[in-house]
Amino acid sequence: MISSVSVDIWRLSLADLADRAPALRWCLSDSENERAERFVFERDRTRFIACRAILRGIIAQNLNIGPADVVFAYGEKGKPFLEDHSLFFNLSHSHNEACIALSASATLGVDVEHIRPPTRNRWIDLAQRFFSVAEIQALSDLPERLQSKAFFACWARKEAYLKLHGLGLSLPLDQFSVNVDPDAPAKLCSTEWRPEDIGQSVLYDLPTSPGYRSALAVAATGSVTINNTVISGIESFPFFEKV
Ligand SMILES: CC(C)(COP(=O)(O)OP(=O)(O)OC[C@H]1O[C@@H](n2cnc3c(N)ncnc32)[C@H](O)[C@@H]1OP(=O)(O)O)[C@@H](O)C(=O)NCCC(=O)NCCS
């Protein structure tokens, strides 16, 4: 287990990148391009292409190869990873915001959530179906006007932890607890599923555009240094000069 870890975070505004997406397809693999074709909505297609291309660009820069030469392998539940290099990453997108996390030394999970108003169900009703007993209690104790922000803070923290382990929803969401207070630093409070993770995994809230919540989970026992970069264009990637 790594004690001191550095993580690079890249925050992308997908609205700014969307119209460049078609010209970025050249660096995607055949299977990524086939996947892009399967999206029903153009908006989802361009978001996927932009995220994959920038992810490839960031990894390529680190490995000193071309973005089209990055080869992804996939875990049992779909988590992408690099088979031949010690470089860890994870990606998340929600609405117009995306986040890529990269580390040379520690496994990661990252999540971004667009804060939406409740529709048919109140957030507390959804929490009661999916969150742990401690999280439901903490959310119920908050005044209703704070519950959207708290719900999405909790969700982003939980999902980052899920994504760290790459297990998707095969890990029951009520088998671990994070803190719910959106204004307190993120914390993994308990995990019945894997008790040893307390002290071996750390959670952080990440900065976002207004209206989003984002969290990072890192497999680390000691301090984590987080370096934040915001990308609004692709100009910072020399590989994409030909676009
Ligand atoms: C992939 C998963 C982990 C998250 O999906 P999501 O929230 O829809 O999407 P995100 O944008 O955060 O993450 C998607 C990215 O994570 C990566 N990813 C895919 N499977 C993954 C996995 N099992 N573990 C970690 N990362 C994964 C991919 O890079 C993917 O990007 P892509 O779609 O461009 O290929 C999915 O298994 C899932 O459905 N999770 C649960 C959703 C939920 O209800 N959460 C409630 C939390 S309280």
Side-chain angles (χ1 to χ4, degrees):
M1 188 63 49
I2 309 296
S3 61
S4 177
V5 168
S6 175
V7 179
D8 291 328
I9 298 290
W10 307 78
R11 181 147 60 91
L12 328 182
S13 161
L14 296 178
D16 297 339
L17 290 166
D19 55 346
R20 308 295 289 274
L24 293 171
R25 287 185 79 145
W26 64 270
C27 73
L28 269 54
S29 67
D30 289 347
S31 63
E32 286 167 335
N33 272 310
E34 281 160 22
R35 191 174 153 202
E37 281 311 309
R38 290 199 294 273
F39 284 101
V40 175
F41 297 108
E42 188 59 27
R43 186 197 55 196
D44 296 331
R45 184 178 359 269
T46 54
R47 285 176 180 164
F48 170 73
I49 295 167
C51 283
R52 274 297 162 124
I54 300 287
L55 174 64
R56 282 175 168 275
I58 289 170
I59 292 171
Q61 248 178 354
N62 270 268
L63 299 179
N64 210 16
I65 58 175
D69 300 326
V70 174
V71 179
F72 293 117
Y74 293 89
E76 203 182 311
K77 302 289 177 190
K79 183 173 182 177
F81 65 96
L82 300 173
E83 219 150 32
D84 302 327
H85 303 277
S86 174
L87 194 60
F88 303 90
F89 65 91
N90 198 225
L91 174 153
S92 180
H93 41 79
S94 183
H95 196 57
N96 276 327
E97 184 110 331
C99 184
I100 292 170
L102 189 83
S103 170
S105 52
T107 318
L108 305 162
V110 73
D111 189 55
V112 179
E113 294 298 331
H114 182 218
I115 300 177
R116 318 178 272 282
T119 48
R120 200 157 45 94
N121 295 310
R122 292 178 309 147
W123 294 129
I124 190 68
D125 300 327
L126 269 183
Q128 269 158 358
R129 284 174 56 199
F130 297 112
F131 288 3
S132 72
V133 172
E135 289 161 348
I136 296 164
Q137 185 60 54
L139 203 58
S140 312
D141 290 344
L142 290 173
E144 202 165 325
R145 68 189 162 79
L146 293 181
Q147 283 184 358
S148 284
K149 196 174 161 197
F151 176 84
F152 284 102
C154 179
W155 181 337
R157 291 164 183 170
K158 283 181 88 66
E159 184 121 3
Y161 179 70
L162 280 182
K163 294 182 74 185
L164 163 69
H165 288 292
L167 293 171
L169 289 179
S170 62
L171 169 56
L173 291 170
D174 61 356
Q175 291 299 299
F176 65 96
S177 296
V178 301
N179 62 330
V180 165
D181 182 347
D183 299 319
K187 188 172 177 220
L188 179 64
C189 300
S190 68
T191 162
E192 292 82 334
W193 168 70
R194 207 175 130 126
E196 67 274 21
D197 255 359
I198 301 291
Q200 294 188 352
S201 302
V202 269
L203 285 180
Y204 294 90
D205 294 316
L206 296 175
T208 62
S209 305
Y212 293 85
R213 287 296 301 206
S214 181
L216 169 74
V218 188
T221 53
S223 64
V224 177
T225 306
I226 299 176
N227 313 300
N228 285 291
T229 306
V230 178
I231 302 180
S232 55
I234 55 171
E235 295 70 21
S236 47
F237 296 96
F239 299 123
F240 294 128
E241 263 165 15
K242 66 161 101 167
V243 175

